[in-house]
Every structure is written in structure tokens, then in C-alpha cells.
Amino acid sequence: MKLKKLFIFCLSSLLFSIYVQAQDVNVKGKVNDENGMPIPGATILIQGTSKGTTSDLDGNYQIKAASSGTLVFSYLGYTSVKEAINGRTTINVKLQIESLSLQEVVINVGYGTQKMKNSTNAVSKVKSDAFENRPIVSVAQAIQGNAAGVNVVQTSGKPGASFDVRIRGLSSINSENSPLYVIDGIQTKDISGLNTEDIVDLSILKDATATAIYGVNGSSGVVVITTKKGKSNKNDFQFTSYLGMSKAVSNVDVLNLTDYKTLINEINPSYLTTANDPKYTGINTNWQDEILKTGIDQNYNFSYAGGTDKVRLYGALGYQTVDGIINPSKYNRFSGKINVNANLYSWLKTDVSMNIIQSDGSYISDNNSVGQGGAVMSALVTPTFLPIWGSQLNVRETNADGSYKDGFKDGQYAENPYQSGWENPVSLLSRKNTTAVNRYLSSISFDVNVLHNLVWKPMVSLDWTRSNNVQFVDPFSNVWGRNGDNNPDSDKGRGSNTIENNTNWNFENTLNYSLKFDNSDLNLLGGMSMQKNNYTKDANSGTGFPVELTDYDFNVAKNQSFENRENEVKSLSYFGRVTYNIKNKYIVNGVFRESGASQLAKGNKWGFFPAVSAAWIISNENFLKDATTISELKLRGGWGKTGNLSGLPAYSSFDLNYTNPLTNATTLDQIGNPDLRWETTTDINLGLDLGLIKNRIKFTADVYKKNTNDLLQIIYFPGFSKPYYYNAGEIENKGLELGINTMNFTGDFKWNSNFNISFNDNKVVKLGLLKKLPFQNLTSVGESVILLTEGSSLGSFYGYKVDKVDPTSGALLYKDINGDGVITPDDRTNIGNPNPKFTFGFSNDFSYKGFSLDALITGSQGGDIFNASRMDLTLMNNYNNQSTEVLNRWTTAGQITDVPKANDASALHVSNRFVEDGSYIRLKAVTLGYQFKLENLKLNSIKLYVTGQNLFTITNYKGFDPEVGAFNNATGIGQGIDLGTYPQVKTFIFGLKANF
């Protein structure tokens, strides 16, 4: 009987338990992020069903589910969380941001975020992890070598020098080829002074399907920069600092005094007579040693990240100073950064970003020939028998009254005896050229939850820059200051002061509406943008200063001139995007932007730029869903159009006059063209993303083709020095990009690798009225080094092809290209292409417990360099010092050599003799560090590290460095020309990072 009762009791308990477990319960709770901030719109699903709900504006949710069920919490960009109910009625969860993988959150195609896994576009992501372990001073350095399809070249080693950033080649002749940068929503073309310590990550948008939504500003690619934010209920402080020393990567060998005298005697015996003057006896100045010194780098940063559940704050202060290897080149920067993110109400959030940058630089003249005053070239070609100071001469010439003549007085630089206006290198460095820049970047935006899934986001941003450039050549120490334009009585000394202001306003409003269905998601974005750029320039200059004056003072100048200019550019745009995701397998994305610009005349102001893209996530198909090897497999494709007007002046459709404020004289300043149109780029992209072994191996491939039509071109009318703009022509770029990321080892010992390689082919398909466009005239030979022709690559070098040096006469002979039996200018042809065949980057990150080792290798293959510096160092047609290459010059009949005789008139031409292979492989940076854990000292950690930059380069280039660009500018046509370029530097840095 007892056994029967026990059986009945157990059976009843089991049935009751089953009944209770099957019973539905009402579950409620809150969904927060890792910082405790509520997440509205999070999805809560009952596992195994399509039943679910979403969190409200405060992150709260409520759902009815079986007490034995499981809830799945998810939100875009966050790792999903599963919670077994187990009869509970309250479940609160915190969602963590997804770790670095193909599913990471990226800022994509503008005005929003999207999972990389769901992206339909060509996007490269660079996290701060890729560069935080090495000191960098520019955003471009953070990108260099870390993103496929992006070519970053450091064209000069001088402090504060900008980098050339080109995304998928050059697409314009006279408009900018540099990308748009979006810093926390602030759109700008200028990233100078931005503190890289504030950066979290960078997203590089490369194809038109990603950039079309930015319209006129996105035609050359977009780099979206996200900076650090505050943290809820935390107080994190960080201090970073480093000290570095720099030296020139290499030197150029020039003739010693004995070999120099032998050479100039062959050129003109009178040159040797001058060099042997007793006043120069015993003088032998090494000019490279005199101007190339040790540079010093210093950097200090302090930041705070903290806040409450309602308000988060990030604040940072930074100071950087770089003393260049050529005095007085110097760059100083102070930066301040504040980000505030606040939940004002359950339906209202605000984000405020402020960035203040103050910088000042002292610059020298470089990237010029000697006749144009380039200090670097002057150090190479100035004869060594000349001293620095006139007082160092053995004989100091005097006037009739016994006083020293100019050029021989104390405090005056020695004059070159061959040409009085030719300054010695140290004299050139005495000229003042300083620029002080004040910059303010700020934005404020609001997220207004109008309806449950409808968010209105108004935003206003400001980018204001004021630069003040002062130049002065004193009236006493050097020849140009004393003589001016050969009128020493009135023109002693010369100076100028130029103040420029740029004010960029951007007003934007967007509406974002999202819908979730059983098997699909729909996201709609619409917006409008109003942009205004105002530019002013106030400049004055003067000559004729008191001899004792050491700095520019316009008020005391005898001869004064003014220039005042102001212009304003406005644009209005409407844009939208539709993204439809079906079963997380098939994604379609369409965008458009219609923009109107004030530069164009009525009837041509508006341009329409659409794009469409799609992706198929094959790995989510049933036949691959359970695959163990393939983690991710996706095909992408897209087509789109973008526009460019950056090369147009403000009022290009109008004829304009300019009135001189000093003389009131009016002159024609611009011939307008009312038929000007948008420069338009059409882009096609196909891509593949592949992840293997739980994404430990990730591979990306993209092929693309983009054609730019209605190129903005320039023509000059006879007797008028200002350009006339018109549309004509076409440029094509097509290429292949490959990238692979691997997690080689995990655990205590970690090793991650990143390799990317980019191939790009550039071609000028069609030109306009002029079928030959010359660029970059070289004063030493009076010829242009670049000629654009149909069928050639943009920036191709043009000149004669060398046949040989005649063994009988020593004259340089050229090839008869057109076969008419004589050498004429018609025999000039394409002699080189500065566009590399491919570029690559390879980085490796190693760590073991507290130790870390990071190495970055960059390289370029196939790009030619026109070594105009070498040309000036081998022409042998005057009194310049020359490189040791001329020791192999022809001197006797029958001699076989590739260096012609001295003073050979036939050698004074642009030719392939000076075109060199600019290919290189460079160990760009290596950092070794150790991180100490110091909890007992109330410090989270201290990391000490040592870094070497530009440590080793493999190249056949004969100049200072293969990363050059004497004439590089926003268009990039003058790339690959080396003419007195400031040398690259090899730097060793010691630093620390402390977190507390």
C-alpha cells in the first residue's frame, strides 16, 4: 500500500512538473549595451520559432513564452545572447560589441552602420589595433600598407608634410584625386593635424556603390574615421608619450674637390681659374653634412573616458613637436578633443564632437631646382670650395674706405663666384617661411525616435581653418635679400604675409526607418544636405626694408602690394538608400544622391548619382550551413556613379574682373563657361569574401573598372594667363585587389598576419581640344617631363630615348623614333609610367603574455621615377658640382660608356636616361614592447616600447628615396618626379603607454 501511494505521488509530481514546464510565462526585462546604455530596437526571439518582439526606446521588452523555452537577444553589431527562461519572469541582458571578424560593425556607405557580413560594397576596415603599437603622426600612415586598393605615398620627409592617398588610381586631370574624410560625421578633404591617438577605426569606402551617397565629395573614395567615446560608470585615464631621433635614410655621393676641379676644367677652363682663386685655398665644405642633422620627435597625449548611464564623455589633449633633419624645418601641433554622448530623454539622444587643432611649422624650400632656390639640390650641386660665411674667406675684399664689401662682411653668407644670385645651401635655410594654423572641427547631432522604428537625425557640422603664412628674406645676410630685383637702393629685403580662412558648414537631416518581417529586413534612409564653403584671402607683400630688420614688417616696406579675395561655394543635395535583406542570404542595396552646385550655370547645376549593389551569402544556404571548413562565403556586385567638381573655381560660369585694392586697376580675371558640367565616374565592382576555419583565415578579392567622363580640362587663350575650363575626355582605371588575414596562433602566444596586394591599370582614353597636354617644365633643360596623350597612363613621362654614347665623339645619341633620319622633337615618345603595377602591404603581430612584436612591410612594383635631381647632377654643362656617376664620363676616343662627355649639348634634354625603376620593398616599421600589469599601484598597465621606422629598403633607385613626389598635389599628375625632394628619415623611437 505504501509503495502504491509512493508511486502515485511520484507520478503526480512528474505530471505536475511537465504541466508547469509547458506553461507560458510573461517575461520582461531590459536590453543594455556593454556600457549600461539601453538598446532600443533590439530583437528578442523565442528560439526555434518566428515569434518575437523588440525593445522599446528605453531598452525594455516584454514577451510571453514557455517557461522551459530559450530567448535569443540580438542587435546589429552586437554578439547575440541566448538565455534559458527556466521559469523566470525577469531577464536583463547586456550585449557586447562583436569582436573583429567578417561580422564586425563598420561605418558603411554613409549615414549608418552595417555588419561587414551583410555589406554589398567594397570596403576595407583598419582597426586601431593595426597601428596603435607604433607611433604615427598622420591618418594616412595608419592606412599605409593596411588596406588593399589604397596607395599611400610619403612624398617628402619634411616635418608636417602631407601624404598622397589614392584610392583605386587617378581619375581626374584637374580635379582632386584625394579621398573625402568623414570624422564623426564631419566631412573634410583635410586631415592635417588630426591626432591619431583619438582614432578607434577607419573604414575605406572604395566603390561607387558605397560612395555615391556622398555625391560630389565621394568620387575619389571615402575614409570614414570613428574616434573614441566615453564609457558608462567607468573612469579610464591614459597617458602616452614617445621620444624619437631621425637621420636621413641615405646620402647622394657627389664629387670631391679634386674630381670637381678636373671636371670643370673640361667644361670651361675659366671655371677652374675661379675655383683656384687664393681666397678659397684650403676650404672644402661638405654641404650635406652642413644641412643634414639629427631630427628629434616628441609626442605627449593624455585622455579620459568615463561617464554615467545618461552621459558619456571622452576628452583628450595632445602635443607633438618634430624637429626636422634640416634646420629650421619644424612642426608643432597642439590638439584638444571632446566627445559627448548623452541620453537626454527616452526618445532623444545627442552626440557632440569638438576638435581644436593649433599648429605651426617652419619650412624650407625643397622640391625645386637650384635656380628656384631648393635647399636640398643646392647642397648637392654647390661647389665645396665655397665656405658658409664670407668672413671665412682667406681674402676679404674691401671698399675704397677699407670697409668690407657685401658678401665679405661679418654675418653675411659667402656669395657664389659663378652667379651672385645663387645662394649657398645654408644661406637658403636662413629665409623665414612659417605657417601658423588654427583649426576647429565640431558637430552636434540628435537621434529623435519619432516612432518605434523611425529615427530622425538632424546634424550640423563646422570645419573652420585659419592659416597665417609669413615669409621674409632679410636685407643684409644674403644676396637675394640685398639685391632684390637688381635694385639694391629700393629692394633690400623682401617679405609677405598671407592670411587664409576656410569656413565649411554642413547641415544634414536624415530619416531612418526599419522594418522586420518573418524572413527579411527592410531599411529605408532618406536625407538632405546643405553645404557652404566660404574662402577669404588677405595678402600683402613688400620690398625695401631697413638693413637692421630681422623679421617682416609690412608697415616699413618701401614698395607695398595687396591682394584680397573672397569666394563662396554652395551645394544642396537629396539622397536616399534602400537595403533589403532576405533570409540573411540575399541582400540588395540601392542608393542615390542628387546634388546641385553653385559653380555651374543654370541648366547644368544638378547631377544625379545612383548606385545599386547586391550580395549573396552562400554560407547561409542549407548546403553550406553546417560546413566546418567554410565559415563565410559571399559574392558581391555593384554599379554606380559619382560626380566631381573640386577643380572648378567658385564662379566658373561667369566672366570676372579683379580690382587691385592698392591701385584700383581692374583686369580680366576669369573667362566663364556656362556650359560646364559635372565630371562623372561610372564604377563596376565584383567581390568575393571567404572565411575559413571559424574565420581564422579570411580572404577578400575585388575586381573593378571605373571610367571618368566629361573631364574638367584647361586651355589658355593667347595673351591671357588665367585658365579657361571646359569638359572633355575620359580616363579609365581597372584593377584587382586581394587581401588575406590569418590568425596563425591563438592562446598565450598569438600571431596574426595581414597581407594585401593591389593591381591597377590607368589609361587616358580620350582628351579634348588639345591632344597633347604638357606638364611640369624643368628649368634646367627648358622641357616638360610629362605629356598626356590618348592611350597613355596619367602622368606618363615624355622625352627622347637614348641610343648610346658615340665612342668616337662622346656625344649622346638618341633613337630615331619616326624613322626620318634626323633627331627632332618629333622623336620624343613615352619614356616611363609613374603608376605602379601593384602595391602591397604585409603586417605581422606577435604577442606572448606581456611581450609584443609588430612588423609592417610595404612595397611598390613597376612605378617609374624621373630622377630630375640626377639629371641636374649629371648634365655637366656648367659650374655645378656633380654626382660620382660622371666619373664614368667619356674622355677618350673609343671609350665605351653610357655617360656622355662633359659639356655635351646633345645631353641637355629630357630622356629615358633619367627614368629609373622606382620599385621597392621597405621594412616600414618594427615595434617591440612589453606591458606591465600594475594593479597594486592603482595602474591598470604600463607599456614600454621601442620602434624603428624606415629601417631597411630594397631598391635599385639611385636617389635619396623611392617614395618621392616633387610636384605632387591634389590632382596627383606630377607623381614620381624627384627634384630636390626633402629626404626621407630613418627614425628610432622610445615610448610608453600608461592606463590607470
Side-chain angles (χ1 to χ4, degrees):
M1 186 69 179
K2 290 182 179 180
L3 182 62
K4 183 177 180 181
K5 289 181 178 179
L6 179 63
F7 174 76
I8 294 173
F9 174 77
C10 292
L11 180 61
S12 300
S13 299
L14 177 61
L15 292 174
F16 180 77
S17 175
I18 293 173
Y19 170 77
V20 170
Q21 291 293 323
Q23 212 177 21
D24 286 348
V25 294
N26 287 316
V27 182
K28 61 182 179 179
K30 192 169 186 178
V31 183
N32 291 329
D33 64 14
E34 57 187 351
N35 295 312
M37 301 292 282
I39 300 179
T43 300
I44 301 95
L45 289 174
I46 301 173
Q47 185 172 318
T49 74
S50 59
K51 183 180 178 182
T53 186
T54 57
S55 59
D56 63 18
L57 300 179
D58 295 317
N60 297 315
Y61 75 93
Q62 185 170 333
I63 190 170
K64 191 173 184 179
S67 60
S68 60
T70 298
L71 298 181
V72 181
F73 299 82
S74 63
Y75 188 71
L76 182 65
Y78 290 79
T79 302
S80 297
V81 172
K82 294 181 180 180
E83 286 282 346
I85 298 175
N86 290 331
R88 291 182 292 171
T89 58
T90 301
I91 300 177
N92 298 317
V93 298
K94 280 190 176 183
L95 300 184
Q96 304 290 323
I97 293 177
E98 285 182 322
S99 60
L100 182 62
S101 70
L102 286 177
Q103 301 180 33
E104 67 185 336
V105 173
V106 297
I107 299 177
N108 197 9
V109 299
Y111 307 102
T113 60
Q114 190 179 60
K115 286 184 178 182
M116 179 69 86
K117 178 181 178 180
N118 294 334
S119 172
T120 60
N121 316 113
V123 179
S124 290
K125 184 70 174 278
V126 180
K127 297 279 287 183
S128 60
D129 301 348
F131 54 84
E132 68 178 0
N133 288 327
R134 61 186 180 96
I136 59 174
V137 296
S138 168
V139 172
Q141 283 179 285
I143 301 173
Q144 190 173 33
N146 288 315
V150 187
N151 187 25
V152 180
V153 177
Q154 185 176 354
T155 58
S156 173
K158 64 184 174 184
S162 60
F163 287 67
D164 279 346
V165 180
R166 305 291 182 232
I167 298 177
R168 293 187 167 181
L170 302 172
S171 300
S172 182
I173 296 175
N174 293 298
S175 288
E176 289 187 11
N177 280 295
S178 54
L180 170 73
Y181 297 91
V182 183
I183 309 165
D184 294 330
I186 305 171
Q187 299 182 24
T188 181
K189 285 283 187 174
D190 182 12
I191 53 171
S192 60
L194 188 67
N195 192 342
T196 56
E197 289 286 340
D198 297 330
I199 294 176
V200 174
D201 57 47
L202 307 99
S203 296
I204 299 99
L205 315 182
K206 296 180 287 188
D207 66 335
T209 63
T211 64
I213 200 166
Y214 286 107
V216 59
N217 295 321
S219 60
S220 298
V222 179
V223 179
V224 182
I225 301 171
T226 304
T227 62
K228 296 176 181 177
K229 303 295 189 292
K231 300 179 180 180
S232 296
N233 302 312
K234 290 185 179 180
N235 290 293
D236 290 345
F237 297 88
Q238 184 179 75
F239 174 74
T240 66
S241 177
Y242 66 76
L243 174 67
M245 292 172 288
S246 303
K247 298 287 287 186
V249 170
S250 64
N251 287 343
V252 175
D253 294 328
V254 296
L255 297 176
N256 60 36
L257 187 56
T258 300
D259 291 333
Y260 168 76
K261 289 183 176 181
T262 301
L263 172 65
I264 61 173
N265 188 48
E266 296 175 24
I267 298 173
N268 188 335
S270 67
Y271 295 159
L272 180 60
T273 301
T274 300
N276 285 331
D277 190 300
K279 73 176 70 171
Y280 304 115
T281 301
I283 299 174
N284 190 1
T285 307
N286 187 319
W287 291 108
Q288 290 188 69
D289 286 349
E290 291 297 333
I291 73 164
L292 296 177
K293 307 296 183 180
T294 299
I296 302 295
D297 297 7
Q298 297 181 69
N299 196 298
Y300 307 92
N301 292 278
F302 180 79
S303 66
Y304 164 76
T308 66
D309 289 337
K310 293 293 185 180
V311 180
R312 290 179 292 162
L313 171 67
Y314 173 80
L317 296 174
Y319 176 73
Q320 175 195 1
T321 178
V322 181
D323 293 323
I325 61 171
I326 302 178
N327 188 50
S329 59
K330 187 173 184 177
Y331 177 78
N332 299 316
R333 182 203 66 201
F334 170 81
S335 63
K337 173 72 175 177
I338 295 176
N339 280 335
V340 180
N341 312 99
N343 282 7
L344 301 180
Y345 299 98
S346 61
W347 52 271
L348 178 63
K349 296 181 181 180
T350 185
D351 298 311
V352 178
S353 175
M354 292 183 289
N355 207 328
I356 299 175
I357 302 169
Q358 293 180 322
S359 66
D360 60 86
S362 177
Y363 304 102
I364 68 165
S365 58
D366 65 331
N367 293 343
N368 289 307
S369 68
V370 175
Q372 297 168 311
V376 176
M377 275 304 301
S378 181
L380 300 176
V381 301
T382 299
T384 62
F385 67 79
L386 187 69
I388 299 174
W389 301 101
S391 58
Q392 294 174 315
L393 293 165
N394 297 316
V395 178
R396 300 171 68 179
E397 297 180 10
T398 60
N399 298 306
D401 61 359
S403 61
Y404 291 122
K405 292 182 178 181
D406 278 339
F408 299 88
K409 297 176 182 178
D410 292 341
Q412 290 184 335
Y413 296 101
E415 295 184 6
N416 194 296
Y418 297 120
Q419 182 180 331
S420 61
W422 179 15
E423 307 285 359
N424 74 57
V426 180
S427 176
L428 289 172
L429 298 178
S430 70
R431 300 177 181 180
K432 180 177 181 177
N433 182 2
T434 62
T435 300
V437 178
N438 293 312
R439 190 176 185 194
Y440 177 71
L441 293 92
S442 180
S443 68
I444 182 170
S445 65
F446 297 91
D447 283 46
V448 184
N449 288 274
V450 181
L451 298 173
H452 182 61
N453 293 325
L454 179 65
V455 179
W456 168 42
K457 185 171 184 175
M459 176 177 177
V460 58
S461 65
L462 169 66
D463 181 4
W464 173 81
T465 303
R466 176 184 175 88
S467 67
N468 187 350
N469 174 260
V470 178
Q471 299 185 34
F472 186 63
V473 183
D474 74 81
F476 176 75
S477 66
N478 58 52
V479 177
W480 197 41
R482 289 194 297 271
N483 292 344
D485 296 324
N486 297 317
N487 189 351
D489 293 331
S490 62
D491 289 342
K492 284 184 179 294
R494 57 183 61 240
S496 66
N497 183 201
T498 303
I499 298 175
E500 295 177 292
N501 289 279
N502 271 290
T503 305
N504 290 281
W505 287 97
N506 188 12
F507 303 89
E508 292 181 334
N509 283 273
T510 61
L511 283 172
N512 194 304
Y513 186 62
S514 59
L515 288 172
K516 294 184 181 294
F517 306 100
D518 288 343
N519 294 312
S520 61
D521 298 328
L522 177 65
N523 186 274
L524 304 174
L525 173 75
M528 60 86 65
S529 171
M530 295 184 294
Q531 295 179 317
K532 182 175 74 171
N533 170 258
N534 181 268
Y535 168 82
T536 64
K537 176 182 179 180
D538 295 295
N540 59 67
S541 60
T543 59
F545 296 95
V547 70
E548 68 275 3
L549 196 67
T550 58
D551 206 347
Y552 178 62
D553 185 350
F554 174 73
N555 295 319
V556 300
K558 293 182 180 179
N559 306 296
Q560 299 176 337
S561 63
F562 299 90
E563 181 183 6
N564 303 99
R565 290 183 179 271
E566 182 175 3
N567 61 57
E568 189 172 84
V569 174
K570 296 180 179 179
S571 67
L572 175 64
S573 301
Y574 303 94
F575 54 88
R577 179 174 65 234
V578 178
T579 303
Y580 190 41
N581 185 333
I582 305 172
K583 297 181 179 180
N584 209 27
K585 299 177 184 178
Y586 320 106
I587 304 171
V588 179
N589 187 65
V591 301
F592 78 90
R593 187 165 182 132
E594 186 169 22
S595 295
S598 63
Q599 295 105 304
L600 301 175
K602 185 178 181 181
N604 292 323
K605 286 185 179 295
W606 290 90
F608 182 69
F609 308 108
V612 61
S613 58
W616 177 24
I617 306 177
I618 306 173
S619 54
N620 285 348
E621 296 286 358
N622 291 333
F623 58 84
L624 278 180
K625 200 167 187 179
D626 297 324
T628 57
T629 302
I630 298 177
S631 312
E632 303 280 352
L633 178 58
K634 179 176 65 175
L635 293 177
R636 297 177 279 106
W639 169 95
K641 284 189 174 183
T642 54
N644 196 346
L645 284 180
S646 58
L648 275 181
Y651 312 104
S652 55
S653 62
F654 297 99
D655 295 335
L656 297 178
N657 294 327
Y658 177 73
T659 301
N660 188 302
L662 189 64
T663 64
N664 288 323
T666 300
T667 56
L668 181 63
D669 195 59
Q670 176 178 289
I671 300 175
N673 180 1
D675 296 323
L676 281 168
R677 303 179 303 278
W678 289 82
E679 191 176 272
T680 304
T681 299
T682 303
D683 179 287
I684 299 174
N685 188 89
L686 296 174
L688 168 71
D689 297 327
L690 174 64
L692 302 174
I693 315 173
K694 296 183 179 180
N695 285 334
R696 289 188 61 173
I697 301 174
K698 296 183 289 185
F699 174 78
T700 301
D702 282 273
V703 292
Y704 63 88
K705 179 183 177 183
K706 61 178 185 176
N707 291 72
T708 303
N709 293 279
D710 292 331
L711 297 171
L712 181 64
Q713 298 206 45
I714 290 173
I715 193 171
Y716 291 89
F717 294 120
F720 189 66
S721 61
K722 297 299 177 69
Y724 174 78
Y725 296 89
Y726 71 103
N727 296 100
E730 179 182 358
I731 291 175
E732 178 182 88
N733 283 275
K734 55 186 178 181
L736 169 67
E737 300 165 1
L738 303 173
I740 183 168
N741 298 324
T742 61
M743 298 172 61
N744 306 311
F745 288 95
T746 59
D748 286 342
F749 175 69
K750 296 182 178 65
W751 173 21
N752 299 327
S753 298
N754 179 351
F755 176 78
N756 63 82
I757 187 168
S758 308
F759 303 82
N760 185 76
D761 181 48
N762 174 277
K763 183 173 68 174
V764 178
V765 178
K766 185 169 58 177
L767 288 173
L769 299 174
L770 301 176
K771 299 302 180 183
K772 294 183 177 181
L773 296 177
F775 288 87
Q776 308 309 340
N777 185 270
L778 301 179
T779 60
S780 53
V781 293
E783 295 175 353
S784 297
V785 69
I786 292 175
L787 187 73
L788 299 190
T789 58
E790 293 179 351
S792 66
S793 294
L794 201 63
S796 293
F797 305 139
Y798 180 79
Y800 296 93
K801 285 191 173 181
V802 172
D803 185 12
K804 62 180 179 180
V805 173
D806 187 349
T808 303
S809 65
L812 190 65
L813 304 180
Y814 299 103
K815 292 182 178 180
D816 183 11
I817 299 298
N818 60 9
D820 62 359
V822 293
I823 302 300
T824 67
D826 292 335
D827 290 305
R828 289 179 294 176
T829 186
N830 191 321
I831 58 174
N833 182 0
N835 299 283
K837 294 179 181 178
F838 65 84
T839 58
F840 66 89
F842 183 40
S843 63
N844 284 275
D845 304 325
F846 305 89
S847 65
Y848 178 71
K849 296 185 177 179
F851 290 96
S852 63
L853 176 65
D854 306 293
L856 173 65
I857 297 173
T858 60
S860 176
Q861 176 66 40
D864 294 320
I865 296 175
F866 189 88
N867 194 343
S869 297
R870 180 168 154 247
M871 182 177 69
D872 278 8
L873 287 166
T874 56
L875 287 178
M876 297 181 291
N877 68 320
N878 57 21
Y879 33 75
N880 286 352
N881 199 3
Q882 303 285 270
S883 75
T884 53
E885 183 179 344
V886 304
L887 294 174
N888 297 321
R889 67 187 178 277
W890 183 94
T891 54
T892 57
Q895 181 180 350
I896 304 299
T897 181
D898 59 355
V899 182
K901 65 182 178 182
N903 212 17
D904 176 22
S906 64
L908 307 181
H909 295 288
V910 171
S911 72
N912 66 336
R913 177 185 170 200
F914 309 110
V915 176
E916 300 182 34
D917 182 8
S919 302
Y920 69 89
I921 299 175
R922 164 166 286 162
L923 184 55
K924 190 69 178 179
V926 176
T927 299
L928 176 64
Y930 183 77
Q931 184 164 300
F932 299 87
K933 296 292 185 179
L934 301 170
E935 291 89 347
N936 294 334
L937 298 179
K938 296 185 179 180
L939 292 173
N940 292 333
S941 66
I942 288 182
K943 181 174 184 177
L944 302 178
Y945 64 88
V946 58
T947 295
Q949 298 188 143
N950 293 332
L951 292 177
F952 183 70
T953 303
I954 301 174
T955 183
N956 291 324
Y957 182 61
K958 298 178 181 179
F960 277 118
D961 194 87
E963 281 192 79
V964 294
F967 298 105
N968 281 45
N969 51 37
T971 66
I973 291 180
Q975 63 179 332
I977 301 175
D978 186 352
L979 184 51
T981 305
Y982 193 112
Q984 297 283 354
V985 294
K986 180 184 297 183
T987 306
F988 292 94
I989 293 172
F990 304 89
L992 68 86
K993 292 186 176 183
N995 292 280
F996 50 94

